Amino acid sequence: MTFTFNGFSTTPTEPWNQLSFSVTNESANLKLTGEQHQLVEGFGGCFNELGYLALAHLSDEQRHEVMHSLFHPEGEHRFTICRLPIGASDYAEQWYSHNEVDGDVAMDHFSIERDFKYLIPYIKEALSYNPDLQLFASPWSPPTWMKFPKAYNYGTLRWEKDILEAYALYFVKFVKAYREAGITIHQVHVQNEVIADQKFPSCMWTGEQLREFIADYLGPAFDKHGLDTEIWLGTINAPDPWEELMKKKTTGFDEYAGLVLSDPKAYSYIKGVGYQWAGKHAIQRTVASYPELRYMQTENECGDGNNSWNYAKHVYNLYQHYFSNGVNAYIYWNMVLEPKGRSTWGWEQNSMITVDPASKDVTRNPEYYVMKHFAHHIVNGARRLGLSGAWSGKAVAFRNPDNSLVIVVNNPFPDRRDLHLTFAEGHTVHVQLEADSFNSMVITAN
């Protein structure tokens, strides 16, 4: 049997250069073990209002190039699953919900009218490039009148029966309204960052509250209205190791995913678990306990607006960590922003692509290429494979449905290093990894 080798390398100064391969008899320092793990469900990002406003600075030709690179099945990233907020995210132009009529528990005044200004055109433009794009949605904050204190930021949901019933109906109305607008919502996640008590739209939940809301309100409401939209336990940003160790507050694994999933009624409605940020410290325990569920990294860590190479190295480690610990999908945060990525509440964050309003220049940032090294080659239905050897802590391997192998590996060292990869019995290939580089390799049997 013969093989075809193809691969690319990205360094701080040279993105996406062709790799060279040679057959070798050297001992392997990275080897596929034959173990098979989870299936891949895709890659994507989040639709936010400030991203749509950044795209508005571009010419039609530039905009087409950006959208094609992100969403088209033959583009650079080929996104297949993306996120959107229910109401305002922290990257909305203004804070809002879909019903601010105080006391309207029947949701008579529910409306997605505002979303027709930014989010729906953004999503429909993406769907024009990939009509099969899957979408999942989560609120950052309930309507303010459902919260204590009555505000988009900080606070908690009022734990009253009529409020809980109304909030479940709010989710139902959202899914139905988007369907009427021609957009299918495939999943809902109950709350963005369940332990975030922040100055941007947020709402604190306990594990007990998540369990009760899913089991007694949201799940039954979806059943009653005949919705096939999946309910996910997400997005969980706990536990922080220091908080868990010191027990300063309730953020432990067993007080969130463990508590909810161990309840049979709540579990019966849940199709998967979404983790982000500090949730990376709990995902291993959740996957070990509930391997039959599906998992997602729901928000790439956001950076500081400088879009530095060093932060891209941190983000690469997040991909490697999450996939090695069982996620089926990886979701970036802001796909496109203006320079510095400043939110309306003052935080500056990274993005895959930066659009300069003055010059109209499009900059592909280092994290653009980190994502590309994964999403360009790894397709839906790929299966993660086991690895051993000295490079295995810096690499992830997959077998695509067409049996091609994809190995993504980072060389974090300040000098070139030799990779000797054994990918099949009796077959080892040599690749020289440039200093400080991200690399992806595709091996196809002829």
Side-chain angles (χ1 to χ4, degrees):
M1 182 179 293
T2 60
F3 298 90
T4 300
F5 303 96
N6 192 24
F8 299 90
S9 176
T10 295
T11 67
T13 56
E14 296 186 55
W16 212 248
N17 278 341
Q18 199 85 33
L19 283 171
S20 297
F21 297 81
S22 60
V23 175
T24 181
N25 293 318
E26 296 281 346
S27 297
N29 49 26
L30 183 64
K31 182 177 181 179
L32 273 66
T33 64
E35 295 173 313
Q36 297 192 51
H37 300 285
Q38 78 271 22
L39 292 172
V40 173
E41 294 188 15
F43 299 86
C46 187
F47 295 103
N48 280 325
E49 290 190 349
L50 295 188
Y52 189 74
L53 289 168
L55 284 168
H57 299 302
L58 299 178
S59 67
D60 289 347
E61 182 179 355
Q62 288 175 305
R63 190 184 183 106
H64 166 74
E65 186 178 346
V66 167
M67 296 297 284
H68 185 280
S69 73
L70 294 173
F71 299 107
H72 195 278
E74 295 178 0
E76 296 196 340
H77 293 89
R78 308 170 182 184
F79 282 173
T80 58
I81 181 166
C82 285
R83 185 184 187 188
L84 69 149
I86 301 175
S89 76
D90 49 316
Y91 269 71
E93 185 188 37
Q94 297 176 333
W95 296 353
Y96 69 97
S97 79
H98 295 300
N99 187 356
E100 282 301 313
V101 177
D102 201 339
D104 181 20
V105 294
M107 289 292 143
D108 292 330
H109 295 88
F110 181 95
S111 173
I112 60 167
E113 180 180 357
R114 181 187 171 84
D115 288 4
F116 283 95
K117 186 176 182 181
Y118 299 123
L119 288 180
I120 288 175
Y122 195 179
I123 293 166
K124 286 196 168 183
E125 190 172 352
L127 287 168
S128 73
Y129 289 89
N130 180 7
D132 296 323
L133 186 68
Q134 302 273 303
L135 295 166
F136 71 100
S138 60
W140 268 242
S141 172
T144 59
W145 56 273
M146 292 183 167
K147 292 179 67 182
F148 180 81
K150 187 179 178 181
Y152 289 111
N153 53 358
Y154 305 109
T156 60
L157 189 65
R158 288 165 52 194
W159 214 253
E160 304 158 24
K161 188 174 187 294
D162 60 339
I163 295 294
L164 296 171
E165 289 173 344
Y167 197 38
L169 183 58
Y170 183 83
F171 280 86
V172 170
K173 291 269 192 176
F174 177 82
V175 171
K176 286 186 172 183
Y178 262 75
R179 182 181 296 165
E180 290 171 6
I183 296 171
T184 299
I185 304 298
H186 298 87
Q187 305 170 9
V188 294
H189 296 227
V190 176
Q191 169 65 44
N192 175 70
E193 298 189 348
V194 294
I195 66 162
D197 194 31
Q198 293 281 4
K199 61 183 177 181
F200 55 80
S202 54
C203 185
M204 292 276 286
W205 290 68
T206 66
E208 289 87 351
Q209 288 173 329
L210 290 166
R211 176 184 63 189
E212 182 179 344
F213 182 68
I214 293 169
D216 296 340
Y217 297 96
L218 187 61
F222 275 33
D223 283 349
K224 176 182 176 182
H225 291 271
L227 300 185
D228 58 2
T229 301
E230 295 179 346
I231 296 172
W232 278 52
L233 178 59
T235 65
I236 302 177
N237 58 326
D240 181 274
W242 178 255
E243 297 283 4
E244 188 178 27
L245 177 66
M246 300 302 292
K247 293 295 180 185
K248 289 185 177 180
K249 59 185 178 182
T250 304
T251 59
F253 157 75
D254 288 312
E255 292 155 347
Y256 281 92
L259 187 152
V260 179
L261 295 172
S262 63
D263 179 80
K265 189 176 179 184
Y267 176 90
S268 70
Y269 291 113
I270 294 169
K271 301 301 182 185
V273 183
Y275 271 121
Q276 63 192 50
W277 283 84
K280 65 177 177 282
H281 303 295
I283 189 168
Q284 184 180 33
R285 286 175 281 176
T286 315
V287 173
S289 301
Y290 300 94
E292 72 281 4
L293 293 177
R294 290 144 59 212
Y295 294 89
M296 188 187 307
Q297 190 290 122
T298 44
E299 182 182 306
N300 186 77
E301 295 183 16
C302 309
D304 58 5
N306 290 319
N307 293 298
S308 67
W309 180 262
N310 278 339
Y311 200 84
K313 291 166 72 171
H314 169 69
V315 167
Y316 174 88
N317 290 336
L318 294 175
Y319 282 76
Q320 199 274 341
H321 169 84
Y322 275 104
F323 276 110
S324 296
N325 285 291
V327 297
N328 305 95
Y330 191 103
I331 310 302
Y332 196 83
W333 177 221
N334 281 297
M335 296 175 282
V336 186
L337 289 175
E338 294 181 6
K340 289 295 185 182
R342 187 176 178 84
S343 72
T344 48
W345 55 277
W347 193 3
E348 295 179 349
Q349 297 184 0
N350 292 355
S351 58
M352 291 175 59
I353 295 168
T354 297
V355 173
D356 189 302
S359 68
K360 316 301 184 189
D361 288 340
V362 175
T363 302
R364 289 161 177 79
N365 297 317
E367 289 166 46
Y368 177 96
Y369 293 100
V370 175
M371 173 63 86
K372 186 178 176 182
H373 277 286
F374 286 87
H376 186 75
H377 301 297
I378 302 163
V379 304
N380 285 22
R383 188 171 290 279
R384 185 174 69 85
L385 304 176
L387 290 170
S388 64
W391 284 94
S392 58
K394 304 170 188 65
V396 197
F398 302 85
R399 185 184 298 278
N400 281 326
D402 66 0
N403 281 324
S404 61
L405 298 172
V406 181
I407 299 93
V408 187
V409 59
N410 165 226
N411 175 13
F413 303 111
D415 54 341
R416 291 177 178 171
R417 296 290 176 102
D418 292 317
L419 178 70
H420 305 295
L421 169 66
T422 297
F423 59 89
E425 188 65 35
H427 294 279
T428 302
V429 66
H430 168 257
V431 184
Q432 189 170 73
L433 304 179
E434 291 295 325
D436 206 12
S437 62
F438 308 121
N439 307 272
S440 50
M441 295 160 274
V442 182
I443 302 172
T444 307
N446 299 316

